């Protein structure tokens, strides 16, 4: 409960990685990019043990929801890291998956200076690709309309 309250408080205090008016798909994209960044840079990130455990718990909560002992295997007897991860996940309780995604993103922004610029670059690249695709689509539509206009003019000219 304490971890859940702390994660929610952090999410409210920190500037979000995505504007509040962002769509659910944007939030999911930011989470997926955050996971990609973390996995790609895990060995070079200077994160303490507690932060890594918290990120693992938030990841599980975001993807699987609340911990259910009937669905998830118990860590082995000597798997101390697995036990810590599981305990942190259990402590998240019934935190909504979207809140867990946001808390994951926020924690990564807080702990990794390089994440936010990396994320912004990827989001800007995506926006630029979407803008270019929309522009190309508009060009195709205008070209088709122009072709229809010319065909109609030719028909009228032939009828005269």
């Amino acid at each position: 409960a304490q971890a859940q309250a702390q994660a929610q408080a952090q999410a409210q205090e920190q500037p979000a990685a995505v504007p509040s008016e962002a769509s659910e798909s944007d939030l999911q994209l930011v989470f997926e990019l955050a996971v990609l960044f973390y996995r790609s840079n895990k060995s070079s990130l200077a994160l303490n043990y507690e932060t890594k455990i918290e990120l693992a718990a938030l990841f599980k909560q975001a993807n699987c929801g609340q911990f259910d002992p009937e669905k998830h295997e118990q860590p082995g007897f000597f798997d101390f890291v697995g036990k810590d991860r599981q305990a942190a996940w259990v402590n998240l309780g019934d935190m909504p998956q979207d809140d867990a995604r946001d808390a994951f993103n926020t924690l990564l922004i807080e702990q990794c200076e390089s994440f936010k610029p990396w994320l912004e670059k990827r989001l800007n690249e995506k926006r630029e690709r979407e803008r270019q695709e929309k522009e190309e689509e508009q060009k195709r539509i205008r070209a088709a309309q122009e072709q229809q206009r010319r065909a109609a003019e030719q028909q009228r000219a032939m009828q005269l």
Side-chain angles (χ1 to χ4, degrees), residues 14-45:
Q14 286 298 107
V18 177
S20 58
E21 68 273 4
S23 71
E24 190 174 319
S25 64
D26 289 341
L27 297 173
Q28 179 64 28
L29 173 66
V30 170
F31 176 69
E32 290 170 6
L33 287 170
V35 171
L36 174 67
F37 175 84
Y38 180 68
R39 286 182 175 164
S40 301
N41 298 289
K42 189 186 278 190
S43 61
S44 64
L45 297 176

Side-chain angles (χ1 to χ4, degrees), residues 14-18 30 34 55 102-117 119:
Q14 286 298 107
V18 177
V30 170
L55 285 168
D102 191 44
F104 184 96
N105 299 340
T106 300
L107 184 58
L108 208 50
I109 287 171
E110 289 174 356
Q111 299 295 319
C112 300
E113 291 178 9
S114 58
F115 174 59
K116 193 166 185 176
L119 174 64

Side-chain angles (χ1 to χ4, degrees), residues 60-130:
K60 290 296 258 180
Q61 188 82 5
N63 286 310
C64 303
Q66 185 173 359
F67 176 77
D68 182 351
E70 294 179 13
K71 291 182 182 176
H72 303 95
E73 286 185 31
Q74 295 296 316
F77 185 76
F78 290 109
D79 185 0
F80 303 112
V81 174
K83 289 178 183 178
D84 288 346
R85 286 179 180 170
Q86 185 178 47
W89 185 14
V90 168
N91 285 337
L92 294 177
D94 62 352
M95 173 189 268
Q97 289 178 288
D98 285 341
D99 290 355
R101 287 181 189 100
D102 191 44
F104 184 96
N105 299 340
T106 300
L107 184 58
L108 208 50
I109 287 171
E110 289 174 356
Q111 299 295 319
C112 300
E113 291 178 9
S114 58
F115 174 59
K116 193 166 185 176
W118 182 92
L119 174 64
E120 289 172 349
K121 180 180 177 187
R122 299 309 176 283
L123 292 174
N124 287 336
E125 288 170 352
K126 179 183 182 283
R127 283 187 212 107
E128 180 60 20
R129 277 192 310 275
E130 289 172 345

Side-chain angles (χ1 to χ4, degrees), residues 146-159:
E146 180 63 22
Q147 189 176 19
Q148 287 176 346
R149 187 189 62 75
R150 287 182 184 162
E153 282 180 7
Q154 285 178 348
Q155 265 188 336
R156 278 188 293 242
M158 294 177 98
Q159 289 175 354

